[in-house]
Amino acid sequence: MIGIIAPLLGGLGLFLLGMALMTDGLKTAAGDALRSILGTWTRTRARGLVAGAFITAAVQSSSAVTVATIGFVNAGLLTLAQAIWVVFGANVGTTMTGWLVSQVGLKLDWGALALPLIGIGMIAGLALKARPRLGGAAQAAAGFGLFFLGVGLLQEAFSGLAPQIAGLNLEDAGIFAIPLFILVGALLTTLTQSSSAAMAITLTASAGGAVPLPLAAAAVIGANIGTTSTALFAAIGATPAAQRVAVAHVAFNAVTAIGALALLPLLLWASEGVLDGAHLVDDTPGRLAAFHTLFNILGILLILPLAPRLTRWLAGLFLTPDEAVSRPEFLDSNLLQTPALAVRSLALECWRLHVLALELAGERLGAAPGARVRLSHRHEALLELTSAIRAFLDEFMTGTSLPAEAGKAISDLVRAVHHAEEVLAVSAALHALPASRTGPALKPFWDRMSAQVRDSLAAAADREAFTDTDPDAEAAFQALKTALLEALAEGSAALAPVDNGLARAQLMRRLAKAARDGRERLARWHDGEAPSLAEEEAQ
């Protein structure tokens, strides 16, 4: 028994090592090309699907593509809607491993080709360390050798197990056999964290006829389900974007598995036709490789009409407070054709942005340096909200003939967005400056300026009435500026602290003014005057 188990474990280990070397080597050899494809060739669903399939087939790792996709989503280079199609494509691309094993690995004299590939690849890799891309290609060649060597050992091990497996009479196992083999396939993938390894084991086990075709196909379906474990493990404690992509992966594979089970006899029949039509070797491993590709393509067809709803559902999962802030609450594309309602929704969203920016600025005034990361995340969320407002404004202005009153509203609302951005930028700069160290004599002037800035922020957030705080803020600034310059002239304060103090005072004045100006721009539109547009449209 040890003589059978040893080559089984050794073959599996060599296969996994070969896959790792091959994947790393191909990624290194490709350089930035694959990332460039992922970043630029995913603008539509079809292109994302093709990019995911192509890159996965090239690097032989759906996990690597999924991780890279998650990184692009986190960086804002891919939307969730684009990313899920890359992941769906990766599921199709990963079926290339089955074709390599069935059409090459099981037919290859692995002693004659695999061993030279390993030797030449490793020697060339060491010799080409100074040239990473060529070294990566050499490493990939060694990986291919180990890949085929592992397949050969697995085939040898299962040929020794064939009599014992045949004695189990699996064909007469009844209705529980298919669920059992689905579970076996899922467990193999989960334990090895490689659906390719589970596929290799299934194909080599079926090569000698020990495992009937329908049960081997069930194991392939299980391997496809088990591959979601990698994404789920990666999503634990990860960002919401990563968790959404992982759930999309699970949803696709679940739909695919249900479709494959429901159409199992038909898909196995079709796989035979695929092999005949392509003039490929028509045996059990070949039919399983074709079956694997066919049912993943079936999954694409099944998920296609569900994708828009799936994307919307995923977008609402795992929301963080900052993500909730970044999403418009009042903007709706259905309102674009009705200027009165569109302006009203824009006014409400701009007011929301205005108040959130004031709240962040107020928090920054008294925040400790350690809060900088948390506050910067909120800052980025509000910048995303400004982008969403601008996108709505752009669509509204280009797709509709605007009444004159709507044009006035748009002008004020655009300026209000600018002032909100000014509040965000100035408060960030103010928080980054070191505290003023100009001595106790100037503390009353600083206290007055700080109090006036807070009063300006509070007045600007008052929905009921507009209060012009600019004169008081300017008076407090001039008094502080004069005190700072006098302290410098008298020698009671050094130049560096006075310079820092003047910079800080100017930022405080700009913050108060931006808050006040934003409130003034919103004065006509945030409290319901926009409905008068309806009267103008009716005239």
Side-chain angles (χ1 to χ4, degrees):
M1 194 65 174
I2 294 177
I4 295 173
I5 293 176
L8 182 65
L9 292 175
L12 178 60
L14 286 171
F15 179 88
L16 290 171
L17 179 59
M19 285 290 295
L21 284 174
M22 187 166 53
T23 297
D24 291 343
L26 288 170
K27 286 194 292 184
T28 302
D32 294 330
L34 297 180
R35 283 188 171 272
S36 176
I37 292 172
L38 190 58
T40 59
W41 282 76
T42 53
R43 300 184 191 280
T44 65
R45 295 190 297 183
R47 291 171 68 175
L49 185 69
V50 172
F54 171 75
I55 296 173
T56 303
V59 302
Q60 284 295 293
S61 174
S62 60
S63 297
V65 174
T66 301
V67 169
T69 302
I70 289 170
F72 273 70
V73 173
N74 286 337
L77 300 176
L78 284 180
T79 65
L80 176 63
Q82 293 171 318
I84 63 174
W85 284 99
V86 175
V87 171
F88 297 164
N91 277 272
V92 177
T94 197
T95 64
M96 177 61 71
T97 303
W99 291 106
L100 282 173
V101 173
S102 66
Q103 300 300 311
V104 181
L106 295 175
K107 310 298 184 292
L108 187 71
D109 182 355
W110 49 273
L113 181 60
L115 295 178
L117 266 178
I118 296 169
I120 294 171
M122 291 307 297
I123 291 171
L126 291 172
L128 294 169
K129 276 188 174 180
R131 304 183 68 179
R133 298 186 72 168
L134 289 176
Q139 179 181 323
F144 270 110
L146 287 168
F147 173 93
F148 292 127
L149 184 61
V151 170
L153 283 175
L154 286 172
Q155 188 177 15
E156 183 180 285
F158 277 110
S159 66
L161 280 173
Q164 290 91 328
I165 296 175
L168 297 175
N169 294 319
L170 293 176
E171 292 184 354
D172 302 324
I175 60 172
F176 296 107
I178 286 182
L180 177 63
F181 271 76
I182 290 174
L183 180 62
V184 168
L187 284 175
L188 280 173
T189 303
T190 302
L191 291 174
T192 61
Q193 284 297 286
S194 171
S195 61
S196 297
M199 279 295 299
I201 292 172
T202 303
L203 294 177
T204 52
S206 68
V211 179
L213 179 61
L215 298 185
V220 172
I221 295 172
N224 214 58
I225 296 171
T227 195
T228 61
S229 64
T230 302
L232 289 174
F233 289 147
I236 295 174
T239 64
Q243 293 170 332
R244 291 184 195 113
V245 173
V247 173
H249 194 191
V250 172
F252 174 80
N253 285 29
V255 169
T256 301
I258 292 170
L261 279 173
L263 300 175
L264 183 59
L266 179 62
L267 289 171
L268 289 175
W269 171 78
S271 66
E272 185 176 357
V274 168
L275 293 174
D276 290 342
H279 303 292
L280 297 173
V281 178
D282 186 2
D283 55 8
T284 299
R287 292 181 70 183
L288 288 173
F291 169 74
H292 192 200
T293 300
L294 283 175
F295 82 71
N296 273 285
I297 293 174
L298 172 66
I300 298 293
L301 297 176
L302 291 174
I303 206 75
L304 186 62
L306 303 175
R309 290 184 179 180
L310 175 64
T311 303
R312 287 194 297 270
W313 177 68
L314 290 171
L317 291 180
F318 314 114
L319 271 180
T320 65
D322 287 337
E323 282 186 308
V325 162
S326 70
R327 298 185 178 188
E329 290 185 358
F330 302 102
L331 304 184
D332 184 346
S333 58
N334 294 320
L335 303 177
L336 289 170
Q337 301 306 315
T338 310
L341 297 179
V343 169
R344 177 63 174 162
S345 67
L346 275 166
L348 290 171
E349 200 64 59
C350 288
W351 177 258
R352 175 171 173 259
L353 169 66
H354 172 75
V355 171
L356 289 170
L358 296 177
E359 289 175 355
L360 177 57
E363 193 172 354
R364 276 174 164 158
L365 287 177
R372 189 166 296 163
V373 173
R374 176 178 59 83
L375 296 177
S376 69
H377 288 162
R378 177 56 58 92
H379 184 114
E380 293 300 321
L382 290 175
L383 290 182
E384 289 182 32
L385 180 57
T386 65
S387 297
I389 293 173
R390 278 202 168 87
F392 188 89
L393 275 165
D394 186 56
E395 191 174 359
F396 177 47
M397 295 171 67
T398 56
T400 310
S401 178
L402 299 181
E405 193 69 10
K408 295 177 185 176
I410 294 302
S411 176
D412 280 337
L413 295 177
V414 169
R415 294 292 299 276
V417 172
H418 288 165
H419 292 311
E421 290 173 329
E422 176 82 354
V423 168
L424 293 173
V426 172
S427 63
L430 195 56
H431 190 223
L433 276 181
S436 176
R437 300 182 183 278
T438 52
L442 293 176
K443 187 176 183 302
F445 296 95
W446 282 112
D447 290 344
R448 178 186 173 188
M449 189 69 203
S450 296
Q452 186 55 54
V453 172
R454 291 188 181 279
D455 287 346
S456 296
L457 295 178
D462 183 0
R463 189 182 180 90
E464 299 304 321
F466 167 65
T467 303
D468 188 359
T469 55
D470 201 32
D472 292 339
E474 183 64 25
F477 168 74
Q478 293 299 336
L480 176 57
K481 176 183 173 183
T482 301
L484 284 168
L485 294 175
E486 286 179 353
L488 178 62
E490 294 168 358
S492 59
L495 178 60
V498 169
D499 277 341
N500 176 67
L502 288 171
R504 188 175 187 83
Q506 288 169 348
L507 287 173
M508 294 173 79
R509 178 177 65 166
R510 284 178 58 194
L511 177 58
K513 181 169 177 54
R516 176 260 182 211
D517 290 348
R519 177 63 181 83
E520 183 182 29
R521 289 292 173 181
L522 290 167
R524 290 190 60 202
W525 309 106
H526 83 281
D527 57 359
E529 289 190 27
S532 63
L533 294 172
E535 299 174 7
E536 182 174 333
E537 291 180 57
Q539 292 175 356

